[in-house]
Amino acid sequence: MAYSSKVLDHYNNPRNVGSFPKDAEDVGTGVVGAPECGDVMKLQLKITPEGVIEDARFKTFGCGSAIASSSYVTELVKGKRIEEAMTIKNSAIVQELNLPPVKIHCSVLAEDAIKAAITDWKSKHEKDEKSAAAPGKAAQG
Amino acid sequence: MVKLPIYMDNHATTPMDKRVLDAVLPYFTEKFGNAASRNHSFGWAAEEAVDKARNQIAALINAKAKEIIFTSGATESDNLAIKGVVEFYKDKGNHVITCVTEHKAVLDSCKALERAGKATVTYLPVDKYGMVDPDDVRRAITDKTVLITIMSANNEVGTIHPIAEIGRIAKEKGVLFHCDATQGVGKIPMDVEKAGVDLLSASAHKIYGPKGVGILYVRSRGPRVRLTPIIDGGGHERGLRSGTLNVPGIVGFGAACEIAGQEMEQESARLRDLRNRLQANLFERLDEIYLNGHPTERLPGNLNLSFAYVEGESLLMGIKDVAVSSGSACTSATLEPSYVIRALGTDEELAHSSIRFGLGRFNTAEEVDYVAERVTAEVRRLRDLSPLYEMAKEGIDLKSVQWKRD
């Protein structure tokens, strides 16, 4: 199977590889896929209190198309509001990277990773709101 | 500098040896006759060439020339052996014994017979090295068993099965024994008498011969093996395989067998050294790599490794100037990782991470060193990209993680 030039470009020069501290307040982490399925994506988003994605990092275990999908997604989400990022569809990734039908699952995984990372960030902030409502506990922390 | 790209996928196919090509070429042009034309010199020349090849091939496996049936390749030979025996001996029984790591040509022939209600099949397991236990073969035999079909050496992990022992059991129990020796013939010694093999499949293009030609050895005495043909027509090859003989292909197969026989001893020693050099190079430089297959009972040119935390297809992509293959799901049409590697009890994750290096006649030490260098660099790069490697380094047990599957 021949790879598209965009897949090759992302595979050879992956954007935004790395990790943010998982426990940081402004970081949402999404880990999707499973090793026995041959794909695991970790996507981390740094999000402002106002809900704007400032920065993104990824690490991916998977085929070249999985690596390219996650690399592309880190570029795609930067600067977007989380509401807007939540509406990103896998079809946008398929189109940009020219993925063949057998690789569509890679784009689905990348879409899931965005949603998982934002959900993780939101859950951290729900906790904030709860701890803000209980000042005694917050003071201890 | 080594010449790129490097071909190191010699279990898939091999380039034709120039000496084989020289032998073959006249049979496309001036010696183009039909070996079945009995009444002119064109036909006689072709028939003579086919006879010579039949003898060359028979000599390599210690068979008689008349026991060699030409086919289009080992897939056809496997189909003919398995379907032909089951059909012919249907009054005697309907049970076939094989093993889970056989080539699809064997497994799918068995499955086709099961679907048609013509046979029941026992698929024997293999041990963690990919080897079938002869005692399992013995225990699986019933009074309905008509055929045992076990390969000589596995095409993915290179494990060499104890064929002679299985042959002895088959003789003792009066059951026919077919051996798919596609990966073994011409690379490791194969003697159908010593091994007690009654039917044997082999293919020319795996031993530096042309594509599109194979053989089925069919034992003529002790016992005389009978088959129902799967292709009907002009009654070529003693009625077992109709169709005009592929004379240039057959000539090439004969020449390839003669060369393989003459050079086997030195060549297998050379390949073993190269393979061990590649293996040692990689194990020295990289942690968490695992050998798939048997540590010693393995084809000299085979090296199948799993590189933990790195997916096989992405690794192939990174070493694009080196032709090897992977057991990763992404390289197969079925989206399942290699059934052979999984049958060894290897974790699915490591099956996705497997790479098969197949060294052959034209590989050099220089190429081996280049490949080791490239693979090491790419595995390191991809591990830096791998969330699994990061988690493992943090001390997280990947088996304890609750993965979110799609």
Side-chain angles (χ1 to χ4, degrees):
Chain A
M1 190 193 342
Y3 301 98
S4 73
S5 58
K6 283 190 175 152
V7 167
L8 283 172
D9 181 40
H10 279 281
Y11 171 82
N12 288 320
N13 310 292
R15 331 293 200 250
N16 307 305
V17 176
S19 300
F20 292 134
K22 243 196 328 272
D23 300 326
E25 273 297 296
D26 57 347
V27 172
T29 302
V31 180
V32 295
E36 66 265 30
C37 302
D39 293 297
V40 176
M41 279 180 196
K42 185 187 82 167
L43 179 69
Q44 292 188 302
L45 304 176
K46 194 175 265 189
I47 301 170
T48 66
E50 294 75 38
V52 174
I53 300 168
E54 281 186 315
D55 206 353
R57 292 282 183 276
F58 87 95
K59 283 202 173 189
T60 289
F61 163 82
C63 64
S65 302
I67 291 171
S69 295
S70 30
S71 168
Y72 171 58
V73 152
T74 59
E75 288 190 318
L76 189 63
V77 296
K78 257 195 237 183
K80 284 201 166 57
R81 295 195 52 81
I82 52 174
E83 298 78 21
E84 197 186 343
M86 286 297 264
T87 66
I88 292 173
K89 289 272 167 290
N90 77 296
S91 52
I93 303 164
V94 172
Q95 201 172 11
E96 166 70 16
L97 297 176
N98 227 331
L99 296 180
V102 295
K103 296 297 184 188
I104 286 175
H105 72 276
C106 299
S107 68
V108 173
L109 213 53
E111 179 193 323
D112 291 348
I114 302 173
K115 295 196 161 79
I118 293 175
T119 306
D120 179 58
W121 178 84
K122 279 186 179 164
S123 72
K124 278 184 184 173
H125 289 263
E126 276 161 23
K127 266 184 234 150
D128 279 357
E129 281 154 28
K130 276 178 204 153
S131 46
K137 211 177 170 196
Q140 271 173 15
Chain B
M1 258 314 276
V2 292
K3 194 170 161 269
L4 298 175
I6 292 169
Y7 187 75
M8 216 172 262
D9 199 15
N10 288 280
H11 300 303
T13 192
T14 56
M16 207 148 100
D17 192 298
K18 294 282 188 299
R19 294 168 289 180
V20 175
L21 181 66
D22 289 343
V24 163
L25 283 177
Y27 292 90
F28 284 112
T29 49
E30 67 263 33
K31 297 182 181 178
F32 60 88
N34 186 328
S37 297
R38 290 280 160 79
N39 47 4
H40 52 64
S41 63
F42 295 88
W44 301 330
E47 193 187 12
E48 199 183 303
V50 168
D51 283 346
K52 183 184 170 193
R54 223 185 275 280
N55 278 292
Q56 288 169 313
I57 297 163
L60 184 62
I61 59 171
N62 192 25
K64 294 187 263 303
K66 65 171 184 185
E67 296 174 316
I68 304 297
I69 303 297
F70 288 110
T71 66
S72 63
T75 289
E76 186 192 329
S77 304
D78 289 341
N79 272 266
L80 174 57
I82 295 166
K83 293 174 181 169
V85 162
V86 166
E87 184 65 32
F88 191 88
Y89 293 94
K90 62 182 173 207
D91 294 334
K92 207 178 156 206
N94 65 347
H95 180 232
V96 176
I97 298 169
T98 185
C99 102
V100 292
T101 56
E102 291 294 312
H103 191 272
K104 287 286 182 193
V106 166
L107 292 177
D108 287 358
S109 292
C110 289
K111 286 188 184 132
L113 289 169
E114 283 182 303
R115 269 199 309 275
K118 291 181 174 174
T120 58
V121 181
T122 301
Y123 299 91
L124 295 175
V126 291
D127 66 14
K128 64 177 178 176
Y129 301 126
M131 198 181 275
V132 74
D133 182 349
D135 286 333
D136 284 346
V137 177
R138 183 190 295 278
R139 278 190 289 268
I141 296 173
T142 71
D143 55 359
K144 291 278 179 217
T145 308
V146 290
L147 183 70
I148 298 165
T149 172
I150 302 286
M151 68 202 331
S152 69
N154 183 267
N155 49 304
E156 287 191 37
V157 294
T159 300
I160 300 169
H161 288 295
I163 290 307
E165 260 182 85
I166 295 167
R168 254 196 308 280
I169 293 166
K171 287 289 142 317
E172 198 184 293
K173 300 279 187 180
V175 176
L176 295 178
F177 178 28
H178 167 248
C179 180
D180 175 2
T182 309
Q183 297 290 342
V185 163
K187 293 173 195 153
I188 52 173
M190 171 54 79
D191 180 325
V192 291
E193 291 305 324
K194 276 192 195 150
V197 170
D198 300 310
L199 298 123
L200 176 141
S201 305
S203 182
H205 77 99
K206 306 287 191 191
I207 56 167
Y208 314 95
K211 292 170 183 61
V213 59
I215 55 136
L216 181 65
Y217 155 78
V218 183
R219 178 178 290 281
S220 62
R221 279 180 61 192
R224 178 179 174 219
V225 178
R226 310 287 299 279
L227 291 173
T228 302
I230 55 175
I231 293 177
D232 298 308
H236 308 73
E237 300 298 271
R238 295 192 285 123
L240 291 179
R241 206 285 190 173
S242 288
T244 297
L245 291 180
N246 168 8
V247 177
I250 289 166
V251 167
F253 200 173
C257 283
E258 189 169 325
I259 295 168
Q262 283 163 357
E263 298 182 353
M264 192 184 297
E265 213 179 305
Q266 316 89 284
E267 180 59 8
S268 60
R270 191 189 73 92
L271 283 177
R272 199 171 287 117
D273 285 350
L274 281 185
R275 189 268 315 277
N276 292 347
R277 180 185 180 117
L278 180 59
Q279 187 174 340
N281 263 344
L282 290 168
F283 273 83
E284 250 166 49
R285 294 171 199 194
L286 292 165
D287 60 344
E288 298 213 52
I289 63 180
Y290 304 93
L291 177 70
N292 299 310
H294 200 284
T296 56
E297 294 302 302
R298 146 170 77 125
L299 289 172
N302 178 277
L303 181 62
N304 192 310
L305 298 174
S306 284
F307 298 87
Y309 318 119
V310 173
E311 198 276 332
E313 190 203 323
S314 67
L315 181 52
L316 294 193
M317 223 172 138
I319 52 170
K320 59 182 185 304
D321 46 8
V322 178
V324 293
S325 72
S326 170
S328 147
C330 294
T331 59
S332 76
T334 56
L335 292 178
E336 287 286 323
S338 157
Y339 67 92
V340 172
I341 304 220
R342 282 184 299 155
L344 315 190
T346 307
D347 288 345
E348 295 252 326
E349 177 213 328
L350 285 175
H352 284 287
S353 300
S354 71
I355 299 284
R356 177 186 72 179
F357 303 89
L359 291 138
R361 187 176 288 168
F362 304 109
N363 289 123
T364 62
E366 205 189 3
E367 288 179 336
V368 161
D369 294 346
Y370 178 86
V371 169
E373 200 69 58
R374 287 291 304 124
V375 170
T376 302
E378 206 54 34
V379 167
R380 286 186 180 144
R381 181 179 93 91
L382 289 168
R383 280 181 175 173
D384 283 343
L385 267 179
S386 171
L388 302 181
Y389 190 64
E390 182 181 69
M391 291 164 92
K393 290 292 147 191
E394 284 168 5
I396 296 169
D397 176 11
L398 296 177
K399 291 203 177 14
S400 71
V401 176
Q402 282 286 340
W403 299 103
K404 286 184 201 135
R405 291 171 183 79
D406 41 321

